[in-house]
Amino acid sequence: MIELEGVPELIDPVMVAAFEGWNDAGDAASAAVAHLDREWKGEVFAALDAEDYYDFQVNRPTVFLDGGVRKITWPTTRLSVVRIGGEKPRDLVLVRGIEPSMRWRSFCNELLGFAHELGVELVVILGALLGDTPHTRPVPVSGVTSDSDLARTMDLEETKYEGPTGIVGILQEACTHAGVPAVSLWAAVPHYVSQPPNPKATLALLNRLEDLIDLRIPLGELPEDARAWQLGVDQLAAEDSEVAEYVQTLEEARDTAELPEASGEAIAREFERYLRRRDGGGPTAGSPGHATESGEPASYLRDTPGGRSRPPLPQRPESEAGQDTGAGEPLKATDDGAGADAQDRAPGSEDSPGPSDTPGTPGSGPGSGDTPDTSDGTDSSES
């Protein structure tokens, strides 16, 4: 039994988890949990033993200086708690770490032990994948669960996936077998601009989480970062006609797929969010800082401050040869000065997830099948 000393009794607690690595394209999911922890000043109350779950040759520890003293930070998973007051108080247990290298069943059982001891009522696991989605359109976010009753009551998709999975899928199944309601939220990140950070995808995950647990989330500067990110990608894509043409192709496919729905549900959700923010004294739909369903501010936002770097240049289609993206056209990295960094960190390079090892990436590899089909042709992962 896990004994928690110094942790107060929580009110309707929800556990929100994200893990760096295979299930975290563009660092969108881990950045979302980090945002919650930062905005609500979470207090760490537990950390899993790094020796039990991590291969330090895969996830190496880091050395840093603290007041002239050398210290080591070990890769692990930490749990923090945030107390949320207001008219409808609800507390969150935040789980943020790295996908473990080994002993996944023990890893999940330990997290479930904390959930049981804290009285967690719902576990929400955030993930992000690469897909054929244009950066100019709303970020697709899919909600999936293994619980048929939960799928029906919370308007989620019941997962039918079979194949390789990551720690997100394993933890969700562990919750299901333990009788703990669990949901996975997946954001689709454009595969041609997969380098982190992706504040637009992070914002979309937080918007969806806000709707799911009926809780107003302070967004801080995230809407401005999302707007700046899109403007930067727009500018870089416009410098290459082939990239611009490819993005237009994705836009047309996305718009055609969504046309029959007329996004009535999206409009309803946005109106509900507007009312929630108005009642809570927060920014309204017409004021700066309010995030729309597309993950963009509803009003004008200032340009990127001078210190913020532009996103790397997206890859552009290659007419004769290149990497198969699954979108019907091959891509290659641009060779002009603005795209040098993107070529170094493009999908498939050593320090960036590529089509073969990132969930939801079109093409072969364990991630290519770990997603349900969506109406717009974009893969949305599930456990």
Side-chain angles (χ1 to χ4, degrees), residues 137 249-261 375-376:
R137 294 295 185 265
T249 300
L250 294 179
E251 291 173 340
E252 292 173 353
R254 175 75 178 274
D255 295 343
T256 300
E258 291 187 345
L259 186 60
E261 299 179 5
S375 59
D376 62 357

Side-chain angles (χ1 to χ4, degrees), residues 91-360:
D91 298 328
L92 298 181
V93 178
L94 304 180
V95 179
R96 183 187 175 199
I98 305 169
E99 183 177 66
S101 306
M102 61 194 78
R103 302 184 182 93
W104 284 18
R105 285 178 291 187
S106 299
F107 180 87
C108 293
N109 288 337
E110 191 164 351
L111 291 180
L112 284 171
F114 283 107
H116 175 74
E117 191 71 11
L118 294 168
V120 168
E121 299 180 346
L122 175 69
V123 175
V124 182
I125 315 166
L126 307 182
L129 54 94
L130 299 182
D132 294 329
T133 181
H135 72 278
T136 55
R137 294 295 185 265
V139 176
V141 178
S142 299
V144 297
T145 181
S146 300
D147 188 325
S148 57
D149 294 334
L150 197 63
R152 183 170 54 256
T153 57
M154 302 189 74
D155 192 25
L156 302 168
E157 180 182 350
E158 185 178 357
T159 176
K160 301 296 183 183
Y161 169 73
E162 297 178 327
T165 187
I167 192 60
V168 171
I170 299 300
L171 180 56
Q172 179 168 313
E173 289 305 307
C175 291
T176 300
H177 289 298
V180 179
V183 175
S184 296
L185 300 181
W186 290 91
V189 172
H191 65 85
Y192 58 88
V193 58
S194 61
Q195 297 85 353
N198 190 317
K200 186 173 180 178
T202 296
L203 186 58
L205 280 171
L206 292 176
N207 278 341
R208 187 69 174 88
L209 177 65
E210 186 178 62
D211 294 335
L212 185 70
I213 63 177
D214 191 24
L215 183 68
R216 180 179 179 269
I217 297 175
L219 300 176
E221 296 183 356
L222 194 54
E224 299 180 9
D225 293 339
R227 177 65 173 172
W229 177 87
Q230 179 165 327
L231 289 176
V233 178
D234 283 344
Q235 180 179 353
L236 293 173
E239 295 174 359
D240 190 299
S241 60
E242 293 181 345
V243 172
E245 182 179 355
Y246 177 66
V247 172
Q248 184 179 3
T249 300
L250 294 179
E251 291 173 340
E252 292 173 353
R254 175 75 178 274
D255 295 343
T256 300
E258 291 187 345
L259 186 60
E261 299 179 5
S263 63
E265 293 183 1
I267 295 174
R269 285 195 300 268
E270 184 60 29
F271 183 66
E272 290 173 358
R273 186 181 294 117
Y274 159 76
L275 294 177
R276 182 164 54 247
R277 290 186 176 278
R278 185 193 63 179
D279 295 341
T284 62
S287 63
H290 170 69
T292 66
E293 193 67 27
S294 65
E296 301 175 23
S299 58
Y300 174 79
L301 294 173
R302 66 175 181 270
D303 291 336
T304 310
R308 182 180 293 135
S309 61
R310 296 195 310 174
L313 184 64
Q315 293 180 304
R316 63 182 180 183
E318 185 179 17
S319 58
E320 297 181 1
Q323 179 182 351
D324 185 9
T325 67
E329 294 185 58
L331 296 179
K332 68 174 183 179
T334 55
D335 55 3
D336 57 278
D341 185 58
Q343 188 170 4
D344 291 339
R345 298 187 290 119
S349 64
E350 292 183 358
D351 56 352
S352 178
S356 63
D357 58 6
T358 307

